[in-house]
Amino acid sequence: MKMSISRLNLFLLFFHLLILQFSPRISAIRKDVGFQGRHICKNTVLGRYLLSDDNGHVCDALSLNPQSRCCPEKGEKFSCHGCNVVSECCDSYEYCVSCCLNPSRIKEEQVMNVKVAKPATAGKYSNVFDFCAGRCRHNSESVVHENAYLSDFHHCFSLPSNSSAANYTFLEARLNGINVLVGRRGQSCDSVCKLKGQSCVPNKLLVLNQCDIMQKYMSCKGTCLASIGPDQPAEVVDDAPEDLNPGACLFTQTQSMLSCYGSHQHTRRLCPCA
């Protein structure tokens, strides 16, 4: 009798093993496809009312997706609302970032070598969003005398002129839409542009304040000299006194002195008009 019970138990055990062997395997891991590959946005999180994400959208804080940290994908992407696309400056920080993110304006290879700050130990931007967010916030080219803005459009995203990325090709690109004119002796850029029915674009003076650029529009007589003065960038007229280096081009080393209104009786100014 005991032998029969043992054989029965062995049979039942063997039967259960067969069931386990051939039954469909059930995974205990839940795979929620909806959460796979979701992009988590970077955003500016600075604005009092608005913010811009790294997709190029602008929205208010209440519209921000709490999981992805992205703005709704509606409305204009890479919006330049309130921006002067010629001077590359905007009247609001968030739209400056959005406009800057447009690949047709700023490309990643252009910003990879741009330093975050002036000190030699400063790091470099690693992507376009960080460049736009940083550049629109801090930009010496939109400041005059280091304590006042040139205009209400003081959030600017143009490439800095002293960056390794700002070579001749990039400088030329920054003059797209700008009518570069050479004035007569003693004229200010404000006067030169007004005679053409245009206005002087102050932050483009920094782009023209480069020897390579000046030599394209002026003869410079083979000489380009560092100087100080509100009439620069400029070329010294040929009949100027010898101590003023007749025929030479002059660029200023003091960026805060760049102005649309400066002039000198012995120089002809190079002017950015639009």
Side-chain angles (χ1 to χ4, degrees), residues 217-243:
Y217 297 97
M218 298 169 154
S219 63
C220 297
K221 298 292 176 67
T223 304
C224 188
L225 304 173
S227 184
I228 297 176
D231 62 311
Q232 295 151 23
E235 181 182 53
V236 182
V237 295
D238 291 336
D239 61 353
E242 281 300 314
D243 61 323

Side-chain angles (χ1 to χ4, degrees), residues 35-254:
F35 288 97
Q36 292 182 340
R38 171 174 285 180
H39 173 65
I40 304 299
C41 288
K42 288 184 175 184
N43 59 60
T44 53
V45 299
L46 267 183
R48 193 172 178 183
Y49 304 108
L50 299 174
L51 53 85
S52 178
D53 67 19
D54 59 4
N55 289 325
H57 289 104
V58 177
C59 65
D60 57 59
L62 294 177
S63 301
L64 192 72
N65 186 304
Q67 278 79 42
S68 67
R69 309 299 297 167
C70 300
C71 287
E73 294 188 2
K74 60 182 182 181
E76 185 180 356
K77 190 175 184 179
F78 308 129
S79 173
C80 295
H81 176 73
C83 299
N84 183 325
V85 295
V86 173
S87 65
E88 298 177 323
C89 294
C90 309
D91 60 8
S92 71
Y93 172 67
E94 292 76 23
Y95 282 103
C96 175
V97 174
S98 175
C99 191
C100 171
L101 287 170
N102 191 329
S104 68
R105 300 187 187 284
I106 300 292
K107 293 178 171 56
E108 189 166 12
E109 59 268 22
Q110 292 176 299
V111 306
M112 296 301 287
N113 291 319
V114 177
K115 295 176 66 175
V116 175
K118 289 183 179 180
T121 56
K124 297 178 180 179
Y125 290 108
S126 60
N127 56 70
V128 176
F129 177 79
D130 289 346
F131 167 82
C132 293
R135 188 69 177 155
C136 286
R137 188 183 305 124
H138 307 295
N139 190 334
S140 61
E141 294 175 32
S142 62
V143 177
V144 63
H145 304 308
E146 299 183 356
N147 61 3
Y149 290 117
L150 283 168
S151 73
D152 290 336
F153 295 84
H154 55 259
H155 298 285
C156 302
F157 57 84
S158 56
L159 285 162
S161 298
N162 61 349
S163 74
S164 58
N167 56 26
Y168 182 80
T169 302
F170 293 141
L171 289 172
E172 279 287 283
R174 289 178 59 189
L175 292 173
N176 287 340
I178 295 294
N179 186 18
V180 180
L181 299 175
V182 178
R184 296 193 297 271
R185 64 188 299 164
Q187 277 188 313
S188 69
C189 281
D190 181 62
S191 299
V192 172
C193 294
K194 281 182 177 176
L195 286 173
K196 295 291 183 180
Q198 297 180 314
S199 298
C200 175
V201 183
N203 75 321
K204 293 302 180 183
L205 286 167
L206 193 62
V207 182
L208 297 182
N209 192 48
Q210 316 279 331
C211 290
D212 287 344
I213 296 295
M214 282 189 280
Q215 287 166 352
K216 176 182 177 180
Y217 297 97
M218 298 169 154
S219 63
C220 297
K221 298 292 176 67
T223 304
C224 188
L225 304 173
S227 184
I228 297 176
D231 62 311
Q232 295 151 23
E235 181 182 53
V236 182
V237 295
D238 291 336
D239 61 353
E242 281 300 314
D243 61 323
L244 295 181
N245 299 294
C249 283
L250 306 177
F251 67 94
T252 183
Q253 294 181 307
T254 308

